Amino acid sequence: MEFEEYASARGQELVRLGFTICGDYQRAEDLAQIALMQAFRSWRKVQRTDDPHTYVRRILVNSYLSMTRRRSFTEAPAADLDPDRTVPDPANDIVASDDLWRALATLSARERVVLVLRYYQDLDDRTIADLLGIKPSSVRSVASRALGSLRKARQSHRVDERLP
């Protein structure tokens, strides 16, 4: 498979994976672009692997984890925008209102990546471990900790709903 074929066949899937991991469509596009750019640079090497998509997916995940370590990742624009000039994307409202997205945002980058790869990409522990360069037991530990955090957030949310 040539790079152009791969990019057109799997590009949108990479953007969806990036969005599921980070929750921001623009960053997801950036992550997919970075992954494809790095794969293009060494496409001969990528082609020789058993599954090129696994290789490129690992590039995307590693890029996201690297991005979260940078100080600039937490910076957000503070400029006031004129609402008459922009057309809001209704999908952003849906995502912003979803409790699961808010709960996922409280997790660490590694915890979020493990849960997305396990439940969204339906990967097994060994594959996730290979993608992240850790042991399968570490994947289970991170997933358990992350699910515990989500349960705790869900319980505290239920308590808050009952308060006047």
Side-chain angles (χ1 to χ4, degrees), residues 64-83:
Y64 170 71
L65 291 173
S66 176
M67 184 185 291
T68 61
R69 290 184 203 110
R70 292 188 202 124
R71 183 181 175 117
S72 63
F73 180 76
T74 58
E75 294 177 2
D80 291 330
L81 299 176
D82 181 10

Side-chain angles (χ1 to χ4, degrees), residues 14-160:
L14 291 170
V15 172
R16 284 191 302 271
L17 173 61
F19 179 77
T20 307
I21 288 172
C22 70
D24 181 334
Y25 189 74
Q26 283 75 27
R27 280 202 174 120
E29 287 180 329
D30 290 346
L31 287 168
Q33 185 175 7
I34 289 167
L36 289 171
M37 183 177 60
Q38 289 180 7
F40 177 74
R41 287 183 185 151
S42 56
W43 186 246
R44 288 185 188 151
K45 177 182 172 185
V46 174
Q47 263 183 315
R48 290 191 301 264
T49 62
D50 292 336
D51 184 10
H53 186 58
T54 300
Y55 192 95
V56 177
R57 189 170 41 203
R58 181 173 185 164
I59 294 171
L60 187 141
V61 168
N62 288 341
S63 297
Y64 170 71
L65 291 173
S66 176
M67 184 185 291
T68 61
R69 290 184 203 110
R70 292 188 202 124
R71 183 181 175 117
S72 63
F73 180 76
T74 58
E75 294 177 2
D80 291 330
L81 299 176
D82 181 10
D84 297 330
R85 287 189 177 176
T86 60
V87 177
D89 183 0
N92 289 338
D93 293 335
I94 293 168
V95 171
S97 67
D98 189 358
D99 291 337
L100 178 60
W101 283 108
R102 281 186 255 148
L104 282 173
T106 65
L107 298 176
S108 72
R110 181 172 285 220
E111 289 172 334
R112 189 171 33 250
V113 166
V114 166
L115 290 184
V116 166
L117 292 175
R118 180 182 271 183
Y119 296 107
Y120 181 75
Q121 292 285 307
D122 200 27
L123 299 179
D124 59 70
D125 292 342
R126 178 161 304 286
T127 306
I128 296 169
D130 291 343
L131 277 169
L132 296 176
I134 58 177
K135 295 179 182 178
S137 60
S138 296
V139 170
R140 290 188 292 275
S141 172
V142 169
S144 175
R145 209 171 34 248
L147 289 172
S149 296
L150 291 177
R151 281 187 204 99
K152 190 175 182 180
R154 182 176 169 211
Q155 288 172 348
S156 68
H157 180 67
R158 284 184 180 170
V159 170
D160 291 344

